[in-house]
Amino acid sequence: MDNVSLWEATSNTRSKHPSLEGDQHCDVVIIGGGYSGLATSYFLQQKGVRTIILEKNLVGSGASGRNGGEVLTGFIGSASSLIKKKGLENAKRMFQMSLDSIDLIENIIELNGMDCSFKRNGSLLAAYKPEHVEGFKKEQEVLEKEFDYRVEVVKPEEIQSELKTTFYHGGRVDPSSAHFHPLNYALGLADAVVKHGGTIYENSNAIRVERENNKVIVHTDKGRVFAKEIVIVTNAYSGDLNKTIKRTIIPIESIMVATEPLPPEMLEELIKHDRAVSDTKHLLYYFRRTADNRVAFGGSGRSSSKRDQKQLFNRLAEGMVNVFPDLKDAKVEYQWGGKVGFTKEKLPYVGQLKDGTYFAFGYAGHGAAMSTYMGKVIAEKITSEEQESNPLEVNRVMPIPFHSQHEKAVSLMKYYYKYKDRSS
């Protein structure tokens, strides 16, 4: 799905970065010009570590420039499920990391004067079914008791205080989440990298990695980079450069539509507190207001033909009108898609392979927040800075069984989730 996104159409002026030609030398070569790669370079350059980023296309052309721009606390699933997966102390540490990640982004934006429409108005998780509100109440208790963190439960009769809709049956407000223009943040981060002495090569596809005399050599079509260390942060867009990483990620399609600019007073009624919104459907919707007064609305998507794509976008636009009937006459001006990376645990992984390759991936829809933080983690690992215990760090990456069949499995899973959403 290569439709021009709203973010590309409304982005700040791009700085031009050349393609790699000939041989270049640095301390750390980074594959991937998304948030994780840019953040890794940003923090390394400030420590005097020379970096080169190789981006296959343009900065932010993957998930970093195509996502919904919702910068959310936590991880996929509930805090209770996180405790079951990782234990209480690790869950508490992970939740704090998610809060720190948003603070970090806010600090980077302010420090570098980035124009990316960052707003920290909180998020709303909307209840698709009435019984989901009871789950919110239990989660509220867990968060307050175990994490010393307070969220607000919106009762069914109070949902109009947040959204002008009868589609949902209540919600949960998280005060710390934010939203931004995702591509403008990526472009701003790239400019900050260059300002600190880093080098970015666009349209420079890394096709092969060799190791020779304690050096890493990355080959592209027209050049090579010689470095001491290598970082691969291509997430759901990982190709065959490192098959171990590729086979540990399940890429899942997500699609978005955006309306024409709407009257501000209309938007203020539809999404009253300008929060980042998502819901509890298995095949969830996520949506928000934009800085130029549109509704950007996202959901699940997978297609094998242009006809399938058209049907998917049409159904998503219909879903938007089901949520907000007031948008029935609003023109959809943009539609685009991208890939979200999932690990087997549906949690991010960060670490180092046996051959020394550093990595971070698998943000499962929370990458707008966590990927910048993971870039900082990798930078600190490379410079041997003392770090707190990180429950997301993995010492051994295990490929997902039958990875080559993941597209069929994901399609079946989505049919099942569609059934679950429709059933009472």
Side-chain angles (χ1 to χ4, degrees), residues 91-198:
K92 289 166 70 173
R93 170 72 185 128
M94 288 170 63
F95 189 78
Q96 185 59 50
M97 287 166 59
S98 80
L99 297 175
D100 293 344
S101 73
I102 305 177
D103 290 341
L104 179 66
I105 290 168
E106 188 170 22
N107 179 260
I108 290 172
I109 290 169
E110 291 178 356
L111 194 62
N112 293 279
M114 294 182 189
D115 177 14
C116 61
S117 308
F118 181 87
K119 276 193 175 183
R120 204 159 186 180
N121 287 0
S123 61
L124 172 71
L125 181 59
Y128 179 58
K129 297 181 180 180
E131 58 266 29
H132 294 169
V133 178
E134 291 305 311
F136 290 162
K137 292 176 182 177
K138 292 177 182 177
E139 186 76 353
Q140 182 186 44
E141 293 172 3
V142 171
L143 284 167
E144 187 161 347
K145 177 184 176 183
E146 305 293 358
F147 295 78
D148 192 27
Y149 188 77
R150 289 169 178 79
V151 295
E152 177 189 349
V153 174
V154 180
K155 298 175 183 177
E157 63 271 20
E158 298 171 340
I159 190 61
Q160 293 289 329
S161 67
E162 291 285 339
L163 304 172
K164 188 181 180 183
T165 184
T166 58
F167 191 82
Y168 295 117
H169 304 274
R172 189 192 73 197
V173 174
D174 185 310
S176 299
S177 297
H179 59 71
F180 60 14
H181 188 298
L183 181 55
N184 279 345
Y185 174 63
L187 298 180
L189 202 50
D191 288 344
V193 163
V194 174
K195 179 182 176 182
H196 285 90

Side-chain angles (χ1 to χ4, degrees), residues 346-412:
K346 298 181 181 178
L347 291 172
Y349 290 167
V350 63
Q352 193 174 11
L353 300 179
K354 286 184 178 180
D355 66 4
T357 301
Y358 292 90
F359 63 83
F361 56 80
Y363 301 112
H366 284 253
M370 285 303 300
S371 53
T372 297
Y373 186 90
M374 287 305 181
K376 183 172 184 286
V377 168
I378 292 174
E380 290 173 349
K381 286 177 69 65
I382 290 173
T383 55
S384 302
E385 294 178 53
E386 188 173 339
Q387 295 178 306
E388 293 184 51
S389 174
N390 186 343
L392 295 176
E393 185 170 347
V394 293
N395 297 318
R396 188 181 180 193
V397 174
M398 295 296 291
I400 295 171
F402 307 107
H403 183 272
S404 62
Q405 302 299 312
H406 77 267
E407 289 192 18
K408 293 179 181 178
V410 168
S411 294
L412 289 172

